[in-house]
Amino acid sequence: MELIQLRLLGFPEFRLNGQRIELALRKAAALVIYLAEAGGPVARDVAATLLWPEADAQAARTRLRRTLYKIRVAFGEELIAASAASLSLRPGLSVEADSIAFDRACDAGLLDEAAGLYTGDYLAGFSLPDCPEFEEWVFFRREALRSRLVQALERLVEARIAGGDARTAVLHATRLAALDPLSESAHRHLIRAHLAAGDRAAAERQGETCTRLLRDELGVAPDPATLALLRAGDAEPEMPRTRYVAVDGIHIAYQTIGDGPADLVLVPGFISHVERIWEDRSCRAWLTAVSRLGRLILFDRRGMGLSDRVGARPTVEATARDILAVMDAAGSRKAVLVGASEGGPGCIRFAVDHPDRLTGLVLWGSLAKGSRAPDYPFALTAAQYDLWQQRLLAGWGGPAEIETFAPSVASDRQSRAWWAGLLRAASSPGAVAGLLQGLRDADVRPLLSKVRAPTLVLHRRG
């Protein structure tokens, strides 16, 4: 069987049966990459529009045929199977792409292998400025892969420190801090790794670097917890240990805070990160206050934060299974569920499926249906929702939509930096798009009459 190998993490390279192939025409390279990542047939019209958006349909099809010819000449054989309607890499051709191998390693929990495969950002230095749809596709793919690398490195640092291999933890944490120099969380990982390795001087230098970057670039001071970490020489007491539980073959990250008589489970909305949430003073104060009422259990839903990424859209049924798995792992027989925003529908599903595990239900700024209907006028229309989603994703990487979510701190530079970092660490534009589409289509109204737990509905006026 013939083998085509694609190096896509970094500037793209192609090999056929071990021999390097030069594809001078960038749109030819883009077509091979797109088909390899698709893993199946792609409509000819889709490929033509992707690469020649300015051309009319006939001209785009003509250019596509010429590009297919140039690919055949470069590889010395027919690489792409073309029908009247679709294109795909030739059946029987074995395809190896480092980006796909990286995803598979992350899925399998082979984090060292994944970190080794990531030798550069996706298609670094490769662009098609006249093809905005292709550029957008590359952006989403690049951000998804970077997000997975950050998650893998965070978990590797934690595992190496716990396993007594602090020197390797320092290597992973150094790489993590280089990925996002303005992430205070990344600097804390590196400070902790240096302290675990017994190198207090290096930890203090990293603290000074963090302070300088935040001051010069953002005009803010580091969080007191970062400074307390250096003073204590150990992990900050404000943030509890992150643990994992497997459900459906997916690892769910969770934490427990406090030891009161009652259990409270916080089910997050569309975005969450059980460690980054502690970096914001207001969030940390709120979590600490709530944990005085009882034992507070936090978790990241599948596909989000420190939990494993998934390829499918999350469902309310999946969220209910995640809640059950986390409660079982934490030894919680009964709890009050607090469903924030889009976390509410999964709580409603759980309340119907497991009424014996609830002492109460709180729905906080939540909803029963993701988009408006004639008998449900309380949500955005599907068109409004899609426009809002486009605006959110267009600003991803910065403090996207903070004016919508937290208008009272929208002008605060530290809050804006924290929110931007939370978004980048918690998910990627492509991944969160699927999640938001799943939430838009959710409808748990038929379940409402079946909820028997005492329920408190909280919503802000206006």
Side-chain angles (χ1 to χ4, degrees), residues 124-205:
F126 182 91
S127 65
L128 298 176
D130 60 337
C131 302
E133 285 192 26
F134 178 79
E135 289 289 287
E136 181 181 27
W137 174 76
V138 171
F139 169 76
F140 281 169
R141 183 73 172 121
R142 181 180 296 137
E143 289 300 308
L145 292 165
R146 278 179 65 91
S147 176
R148 298 203 79 173
L149 177 64
V150 168
Q151 183 192 42
L153 291 173
E154 287 177 333
R155 289 171 65 174
L156 282 169
V157 172
E158 181 181 310
R160 293 299 174 267
I161 291 175
D165 185 5
R167 294 191 181 281
T168 304
V170 168
L171 295 176
H172 290 311
T174 300
R175 190 176 177 189
L176 184 62
L179 278 172
D180 191 354
L182 298 182
S183 166
E184 195 168 350
S185 175
H187 289 288
R188 284 193 207 175
H189 278 295
L190 185 48
I191 290 169
R192 277 196 293 265
H194 281 310
L195 290 171
D199 193 344
R200 170 164 286 278
E204 290 175 349
R205 286 195 300 272

Side-chain angles (χ1 to χ4, degrees), residues 3 29 31 64 78 83 133 162 170 284 296 368-370 392 444 456 461:
L3 171 67
L31 182 58
L64 177 60
E78 200 69 72
S83 71
E133 285 192 26
V170 168
R284 187 169 64 247
L296 178 61
K369 188 178 186 301
L392 175 70
V444 295
L456 173 65
R461 292 187 183 277

Side-chain angles (χ1 to χ4, degrees), residues 75-342:
F75 281 88
E77 60 181 77
E78 200 69 72
L79 186 75
I80 296 174
S83 71
S86 66
L87 306 171
S88 64
L89 292 184
R90 190 183 74 236
L93 185 68
S94 181
V95 180
E96 290 182 1
D98 54 359
S99 56
I100 297 172
F102 171 81
D103 270 332
R104 288 174 179 162
C106 289
D107 291 341
L110 303 174
L111 303 182
D112 281 303
E113 180 180 327
L117 284 166
Y118 200 105
T119 55
D121 283 338
Y122 188 72
L123 300 187
F126 182 91
S127 65
L128 298 176
D130 60 337
C131 302
E133 285 192 26
F134 178 79
E135 289 289 287
E136 181 181 27
W137 174 76
V138 171
F139 169 76
F140 281 169
R141 183 73 172 121
R142 181 180 296 137
E143 289 300 308
L145 292 165
R146 278 179 65 91
S147 176
R148 298 203 79 173
L149 177 64
V150 168
Q151 183 192 42
L153 291 173
E154 287 177 333
R155 289 171 65 174
L156 282 169
V157 172
E158 181 181 310
R160 293 299 174 267
I161 291 175
D165 185 5
R167 294 191 181 281
T168 304
V170 168
L171 295 176
H172 290 311
T174 300
R175 190 176 177 189
L176 184 62
L179 278 172
D180 191 354
L182 298 182
S183 166
E184 195 168 350
S185 175
H187 289 288
R188 284 193 207 175
H189 278 295
L190 185 48
I191 290 169
R192 277 196 293 265
H194 281 310
L195 290 171
D199 193 344
R200 170 164 286 278
E204 290 175 349
R205 286 195 300 272
Q206 192 60 38
E208 292 167 0
T209 299
C210 175
T211 300
R212 185 182 68 255
L213 283 169
L214 294 176
R215 181 194 63 223
D216 295 348
E217 300 295 329
L218 302 175
V220 300
D223 192 279
T226 303
L227 303 177
L229 173 61
L230 280 166
R231 287 196 301 269
D234 202 349
E236 60 271 33
E238 292 88 345
M239 190 180 75
R241 176 186 169 192
T242 301
R243 293 178 168 83
Y244 288 88
V245 58
V247 53
D248 300 337
I250 298 163
H251 294 88
I252 305 298
Y254 73 97
Q255 295 178 348
T256 61
I257 309 102
D259 56 2
D263 283 345
L264 301 94
V265 179
L266 181 60
V267 183
F270 89 100
I271 204 83
S272 72
H273 193 292
V274 293
E275 293 187 357
R276 293 286 178 111
I277 194 172
W278 291 95
E279 295 178 10
D280 179 75
R281 294 183 181 94
S282 298
C283 289
R284 187 169 64 247
W286 187 87
L287 293 171
T288 302
V290 173
S291 69
R292 296 191 187 106
L293 302 175
R295 186 174 63 142
L296 178 61
I297 301 171
L298 306 175
F299 73 98
D300 290 329
R301 292 187 297 170
R302 61 185 67 193
M304 185 58 58
L306 287 175
S307 294
D308 285 348
R309 300 296 187 253
V310 292
R313 293 182 185 179
T315 63
V316 293
E317 291 78 14
T319 299
R321 291 197 296 276
D322 293 347
I323 295 169
L324 181 63
V326 167
M327 286 180 64
D328 287 345
S332 176
R333 287 300 309 155
K334 282 195 171 187
V336 174
L337 283 191
V338 182
S341 189
E342 294 87 356

Side-chain angles (χ1 to χ4, degrees), residues 11-34:
F11 194 82
E13 293 180 4
F14 307 88
R15 293 182 184 276
L16 183 65
N17 299 324
Q19 180 180 351
R20 184 163 177 175
I21 304 297
E22 295 294 340
L23 272 177
L25 185 66
R26 287 207 167 194
K27 290 191 178 181
L31 182 58
V32 173
I33 292 165
Y34 192 78

Side-chain angles (χ1 to χ4, degrees), residues 421-450:
L422 176 73
L423 294 180
R424 292 193 301 269
S427 189
S428 63
V432 87
L435 182 146
L436 290 172
Q437 288 159 11
L439 293 170
R440 178 198 61 198
D441 300 335
D443 185 357
V444 295
R445 290 175 299 167
L447 302 178
L448 297 179
S449 63
K450 300 177 183 178

